[in-house]
Amino acid sequence: AMSRILAAEHRDAECQMVLDKIITKQHDFMPAYNDLAELQMRQRKFDDAVDTLNAGLKVSPNQAILLNNVGMCSLLRAQYEDALAWFTRAAGAAPDDTRFRANMATALGMQGRYDEAMALYLQISSPADAHYNLGVLADARHDHERAVKEYALAKSMQAVPGGTAEKATGSD
């Protein structure tokens, strides 16, 4: 709790000292590794964050949130294939947590693998939301033609009760 208060107050050096102390004294307390890595990521110290997360994974190799956050470091570095691999491991470790599949979809979309990203989004969200998310990814890739198409599909589906692709397109 103290580290989170310090982080909220942007007292990063003190926050890091608290988290380092927790990790030293209680090396199996995974939230400390995660919080320290998040602090390092906010400071754009991605190598340090990955080192911290890997230290936690040595203690607890299947910690989904740690696996996911290594993927986030890769995503922020535009290393989308690596990010996908980490997000896939996180999803395997916690299959009921849809955040990890959403992150997989993001990594796929950022690689231009739109159909695969859509398939994942459709597992965890409405078709309207899936198309909107794909539009955001297409925009991020500067694929504006695809983004416009996806936003239009999302909007048309939201106008239909239930927002399903079949209703929006008139398909059976």
Side-chain angles (χ1 to χ4, degrees), residues 85-164:
W86 286 103
F87 296 147
T88 302
R89 286 183 60 192
D96 293 332
D97 194 326
T98 59
R99 294 176 298 171
F100 308 135
R101 278 184 278 151
N103 289 342
M104 290 171 63
T106 299
L108 286 164
M110 290 306 294
Q111 293 177 63
R113 296 165 63 182
Y114 296 132
D115 291 341
E116 294 168 89
M118 178 59 74
L120 278 170
Y121 279 136
L122 288 172
Q123 292 177 17
I124 59 175
S125 65
S126 72
D129 288 343
H131 282 286
Y132 181 83
N133 290 339
L134 210 57
V136 170
L137 295 174
D139 256 345
R141 296 186 75 244
H142 307 289
D143 185 350
H144 301 297
E145 184 177 320
R146 179 67 182 251
V148 167
K149 175 185 168 190
E150 296 298 338
Y151 290 139
L153 282 168
K155 186 174 181 178
S156 72
M157 289 176 184
Q158 288 174 337
V160 175
T164 64

Side-chain angles (χ1 to χ4, degrees), residues 20-98:
D20 285 337
K21 190 173 194 176
I22 292 169
I23 290 169
T24 300
K25 288 187 176 190
Q26 203 172 358
H27 73 279
D28 61 343
F29 186 66
M30 294 299 112
Y33 293 95
N34 193 55
D35 290 350
L36 180 56
E38 286 180 3
L39 172 69
Q40 292 162 330
M41 287 174 15
R42 278 194 311 274
Q43 297 171 336
R44 314 238 5 120
K45 297 178 180 176
F46 299 118
D47 290 338
D48 292 344
V50 169
D51 289 345
T52 298
L53 294 164
N54 281 328
L57 288 168
K58 284 181 183 171
V59 177
S60 185
N62 291 318
Q63 277 292 318
I65 194 67
L66 300 183
L67 294 165
N68 180 74
N69 284 346
V70 176
M72 290 304 294
C73 289
S74 296
L75 189 70
L76 292 169
R77 292 175 167 165
Q79 298 169 340
Y80 303 123
E81 288 182 32
D82 290 343
L84 177 60
W86 286 103
F87 296 147
T88 302
R89 286 183 60 192
D96 293 332
D97 194 326
T98 59

